[in-house]
C-alpha cells in the first residue's frame, strides 16, 4: 500500500507544472494515503478511487495557486499515467523474470526497487514530454479558462469510466448502484463547484491585472507628457526672453508703427501656444488618486492630439472617489473612449470633464458633442447595440453593470441639443466606501 501511493505521488510530481519541493511532495503523499484509506482498509473501491481523484484536484487548487488549473489537469493525468505505467511494468517484469524467482524474499525486494526506478524514469520522461506539449503557453492553452474546461471534461470522463466499469462490477444490487451513483455525482458536482469558483477568481484576477497594466501604461504616458510640457515651457521661456529683447529696439527708436506691426504679426500669435490643450491639463493635479489621474491624462492628451477641443474643470482637490479605483478606471475609460469616438464624427469636436468634490461625495461629469442620428437613449445601454460599425456594443452595458454593484453610485445620462452627458454621483453616505 505504502509503495503504491508513493508511486502515485511520484508520478504526479513528475508531471506537475512547477517544480515540487520535498515538503510539498511529502504533504501530497500523506494526503493520498488518507484519501486512499477507503480502498485499502474498507475495500470501498469506487469511493476510494473517486476520493483519491478529488484529493488530487483539491491539492492542485490549494497549492501553487498561480497554476491551479494546470495543476488539476496534470494531477489527473498523473493518476492515469500511474495506472498505465504500473501495469505495463508489471507485465514486462513478469515476462522477463520467472514467477518462482520473483517470489523469493530478497529477489522480490530488489525487483520492487527496479520496478519503482523504472516507473520513475518512465513517468519523468512522459512528464517532460507532456509539459513541453501542454504547457508551452501557446494558443488557447495560455488561457486559464481553457484549462478549467479541460479539467471539468477530464473529471467527467473519469467519472463516467467509474460508472460504466468499476461500480457495476463492485455491486450486484441496483439499490447500491443507485446509491453509489448519487455519491459520485455529488462528489463530481462538488469538485465542479470548486473549479467554477477557482475559474471565477482567476477571471477577476486577470481583469485586475489588465487594469493595473493599463494604469501603468497611462502613468507612463502621463509622465512622458509632463516631460514634453516641461521642455515646451523651457523653450517658450527662452523664446519669450528673446521676444522681449527684440521689442527694446523699437522702444528705443520710438517707432510705434513698426512696434504695433511686430506685435500683431509675431507676438500676438504666441498666445495660441499658451492656450493649447496640453496646458489645460494642469487642473488634473487636483486629482489625488494616481491611477485615475494617469488615465484621465492619457485620454485627454489623446483627445487633444486628435483635434478635439478639451475642457477640464477640477476646481478642488479630490483624494478619494468612494469606489474601487479599478472599477472607476474601467467606467471612466469606457465613457471617455465613447465620448472621443462620438465627438470626432462632428464638425466641431468638443469634450468636457468636470470633477467636483462636495460635502456629499464626488460628482463626475463627462460631456461631448455628437452627431444625432435619432438613436434612442435606452438602446445605447443595451448589450450588443452599437452605433459604430465593427463594435460589439458591450462597453456601456459593462459600465452599467459595474455601477449597479455599488449602492452609493448614481448615473444619469442625457442627450440634448447635440450634447451627450454622463453624470455620476459618488455618495459618501453608504457603507461601501473605498479610499
Amino acid at each position: 500500500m505504502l509503495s503504491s501511493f508513493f508511486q502515485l505521488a511520484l508520478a504526479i510530481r513528475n508531471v506537475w507544472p512547477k517544480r515540487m519541493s520535498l515538503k510539498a511532495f511529502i504533504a501530497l503523499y500523506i494526503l493520498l494515503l488518507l484519501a486512499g484509506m477507503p480502498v485499502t482498509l474498507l475495500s470501498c473501491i469506487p469511493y476510494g478511487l473517486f476520493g483519491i481523484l478529488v484529493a488530487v484536484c483539491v491539492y492542485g487548487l490549494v497549492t501553487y495557486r498561480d497554476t491551479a488549473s494546470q495543476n488539476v489537469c496534470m494531477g489527473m493525468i498523473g493518476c492515469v499515467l500511474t495506472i498505465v505505467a504500473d501495469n505495463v511494468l508489471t507485465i514486462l517484469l513478469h515476462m522477463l523474470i520467472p514467477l518462482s524467482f520473483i517470489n523469493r524474499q530478497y529477489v522480490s525486494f530488489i525487483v520492487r526497487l527496479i520496478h519503482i526506478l523504472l516507473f520513475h524514469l518512465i513517468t519523468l520522461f512522459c512528464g517532460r514530454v507532456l509539459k513541453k506539449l501542454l504547457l508551452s503557453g501557446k494558443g488557447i492553452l495560455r488561457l486559464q479558462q481553457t484549462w478549467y474546461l479541460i479539467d471539468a471534461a477530464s473529471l467527467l470522463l473519469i467519472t463516467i469510466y467509474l460508472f460504466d466499469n468499476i461500480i457495476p462490477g463492485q455491486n450486484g444490487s441496483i439499490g447500491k448502484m443507485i446509491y453509489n451513483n448519487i455519491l459520485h455525482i455529488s462528489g463530481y458536482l462538488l469538485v465542479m463547484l470548486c473549479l467554477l469558483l477557482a475559474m471565477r477568481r482567476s477571471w477577476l484576477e486577470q481583469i485586475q491585472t489588465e487594469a493595473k497594466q493599463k494604469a501603468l501604461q497611462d502613468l507612463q504616458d502621463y509622465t512622458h507628457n509632463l516631460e514634453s510640457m516641461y521642455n515646451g515651457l523651457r523653450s517658450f521661456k527662452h523664446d519669450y526672453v528673446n521676444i522681449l529683447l527684440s521689442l527694446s529696439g523699437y522702444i528705443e527708436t520710438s517707432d510705434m508703427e513698426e512696434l504695433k506691426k511686430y506685435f500683431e504679426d509675431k507676438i500676438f500669435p504666441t498666445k495660441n501656444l499658451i492656450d493649447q490643450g496640453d496646458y489645460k491639463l494642469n487642473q488634473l493635479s487636483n486629482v489625488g488618486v494616481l491611477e485615475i489621474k494617469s488615465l484621465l491624462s492619457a485620454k485627454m492628451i489623446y483627445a487633444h492630439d486628435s483635434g478635439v477641443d478639451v475642457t477640464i474643470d477640477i476646481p478642488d482637490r479630490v483624494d478619494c472617489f468612494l469606489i474601487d479605483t479599478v472599477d472607476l478606471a474601467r467606467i471612466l475609460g469606457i465613457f471617455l473612449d465613447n465620448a472621443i469616438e462620438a465627438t470626432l464624427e462632428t464638425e466641431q469636436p468638443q469634450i468636457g470633464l468636470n470633477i467636483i468634490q462636495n460635502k456629499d461625495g464626488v460628482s463626475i461629469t463627462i460631456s461631448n458633442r455628437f452627431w444625432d442620428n435619432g438613436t434612442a437613449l435606452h438602446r445605447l445601454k443595451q448589450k450588443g447595440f452599437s452605433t459604430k460599425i465593427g463594435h460589439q456594443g458591450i462597453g456601456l452595458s459593462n459600465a452599467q453593470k459595474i455601477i449597479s454593484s455599488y449602492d452609493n453610485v448614481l448615473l444619469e445620462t442625457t442627450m440634448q441639443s447635440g450634447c451627450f452627458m454622463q453624470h455620476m454621483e459618488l455618495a459618501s453616505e453608504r457603507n461601501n466606501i473605498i479610499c
Side-chain angles (χ1 to χ4, degrees):
M1 179 189 75
L2 295 177
S3 62
S4 297
F5 285 105
F6 177 79
Q7 286 185 194
L8 177 59
L10 188 62
I12 294 175
R13 175 187 176 276
N14 289 338
V15 300
W16 205 250
K18 285 191 173 182
R19 183 178 179 83
M20 185 181 294
S21 64
L22 179 61
K23 183 178 179 180
F25 175 75
I26 294 174
L28 174 62
Y29 179 51
I30 296 174
L31 179 63
L32 292 176
L33 284 175
L34 295 175
M37 289 179 63
V39 177
T40 56
L41 300 180
L42 304 177
S43 298
C44 299
I45 295 178
Y47 308 120
L49 293 178
F50 197 82
I52 293 172
L53 189 65
V54 171
V56 172
C57 293
V58 173
Y59 181 82
L61 291 173
V62 173
T63 59
Y64 307 98
R65 297 174 66 176
D66 54 333
T67 58
S69 55
Q70 291 94 330
N71 296 343
V72 174
C73 181
M74 301 305 285
M76 289 189 286
I77 290 177
C79 293
V80 176
L81 183 61
T82 300
I83 298 173
V84 175
D86 185 68
N87 289 335
V88 170
L89 284 174
T90 300
I91 295 173
L92 186 61
L93 289 176
H94 278 84
M95 290 174 60
L96 297 176
I97 304 175
L99 184 60
S100 58
F101 190 70
I102 293 178
N103 291 333
R104 295 181 182 180
Q105 183 177 1
Y106 296 105
V107 175
S108 62
F109 178 74
I110 295 174
V111 170
R112 188 60 182 168
L113 289 180
I114 295 174
H115 184 281
I116 293 176
L117 178 60
L118 293 175
F119 178 86
H120 171 65
L121 295 175
I122 292 174
T123 55
L124 184 62
F125 173 76
C126 294
R128 289 182 177 178
V129 172
L130 289 171
K131 285 188 283 188
K132 187 174 182 180
L133 293 175
L134 299 178
L135 304 179
S136 59
K138 298 179 180 179
I140 61 173
L141 291 178
R142 61 186 175 85
L143 302 175
Q144 294 288 335
Q145 291 80 358
T146 302
W147 281 99
Y148 282 118
L149 293 176
I150 294 175
D151 296 341
S154 302
L155 189 61
L156 178 60
L157 291 175
I158 295 175
T159 305
I160 292 175
Y161 174 79
L162 291 174
F163 287 168
D164 293 342
N165 295 276
I166 297 180
I167 293 177
Q170 294 293 324
N171 302 282
S173 169
I174 296 179
K176 289 184 178 180
M177 290 175 60
I178 295 175
Y179 178 69
N180 286 332
N181 289 345
I182 292 175
L183 288 180
H184 279 79
I185 291 174
S186 300
Y188 175 75
L189 292 177
L190 179 62
V191 176
M192 279 296 300
L193 178 62
C194 294
L195 290 174
L196 290 174
L197 292 176
M199 184 188 299
R200 179 179 180 274
R201 187 183 64 188
S202 174
W203 180 70
L204 293 176
E205 289 177 353
Q206 181 179 349
I207 291 178
Q208 292 180 350
T209 301
E210 292 176 353
K212 290 179 180 179
Q213 291 176 348
K214 183 65 170 61
L216 179 61
Q217 182 61 45
D218 291 339
L219 179 60
Q220 292 175 347
D221 294 340
Y222 177 64
T223 304
H224 176 72
N225 184 71
L226 286 180
E227 293 176 354
S228 299
M229 290 173 59
Y230 176 71
N231 292 332
L233 286 173
R234 288 183 60 188
S235 177
F236 177 74
K237 178 181 178 181
H238 181 268
D239 294 341
Y240 185 69
V241 172
N242 292 333
I243 290 172
L244 292 179
L245 291 175
S246 66
L247 292 176
S248 62
Y250 296 105
I251 295 174
E252 290 176 358
T253 59
S254 299
D255 192 348
M256 299 305 297
E257 291 296 329
E258 289 296 326
L259 177 61
K260 181 179 178 182
K261 182 179 179 182
Y262 181 78
F263 177 81
E264 292 177 348
D265 294 342
K266 302 295 183 180
I267 299 179
F268 187 74
T270 59
K271 80 178 187 65
N272 295 327
L273 177 63
I274 302 176
D275 292 337
Q276 280 182 350
D278 288 353
Y279 297 95
K280 299 177 182 179
L281 296 174
N282 62 340
Q283 291 211 33
L284 289 176
S285 61
N286 287 332
V287 179
V289 182
L290 187 58
E291 303 98 302
I292 304 302
K293 179 194 294 185
S294 59
L295 170 72
L296 296 176
S297 174
K299 297 298 182 183
M300 290 306 178
I301 292 171
Y302 171 75
H304 175 258
D305 292 342
S306 300
V308 179
D309 182 14
V310 176
T311 301
I312 301 176
D313 183 19
I314 310 176
D316 303 313
R317 184 169 179 83
V318 182
D319 293 315
C320 179
F321 283 95
L322 311 172
I323 68 172
D324 185 77
T325 54
V326 173
D327 289 338
L328 181 60
R330 293 173 63 192
I331 295 170
L332 294 178
I334 293 171
F335 286 169
L336 289 172
D337 287 340
N338 287 343
I340 294 171
E341 290 181 11
T343 196
L344 286 175
E345 297 177 353
T346 63
E347 295 181 356
Q348 296 179 337
Q350 295 179 358
I351 187 172
L353 172 66
N354 177 261
I355 302 178
I356 298 178
Q357 175 78 63
N358 51 55
K359 63 178 182 179
D360 296 325
V362 180
S363 173
I364 302 176
T365 303
I366 298 174
S367 60
N368 64 277
R369 295 180 61 88
F370 75 103
W371 179 65
D372 192 353
N373 59 0
T375 303
L377 179 60
H378 71 275
R379 295 198 64 193
L380 294 176
K381 299 181 181 180
Q382 295 177 357
K383 185 176 181 179
F385 177 82
S386 176
T387 59
K388 299 180 283 293
I389 300 175
H391 288 247
Q392 297 178 344
I394 59 176
L396 289 178
S397 63
N398 284 344
Q400 187 67 41
K401 184 178 180 181
I402 298 172
I403 292 173
S404 62
S405 64
Y406 289 92
D407 295 333
N408 65 319
V409 180
L410 177 65
L411 173 64
E412 181 184 6
T413 305
T414 58
M415 297 169 57
Q416 187 176 6
S417 302
C419 180
F420 188 89
M421 182 179 298
Q422 299 275 21
H423 177 75
M424 279 198 305
E425 288 288 343
L426 313 179
S428 58
E429 299 177 353
R430 307 296 176 90
N431 295 327
N432 55 340
I433 299 177
I434 304 175
C435 295

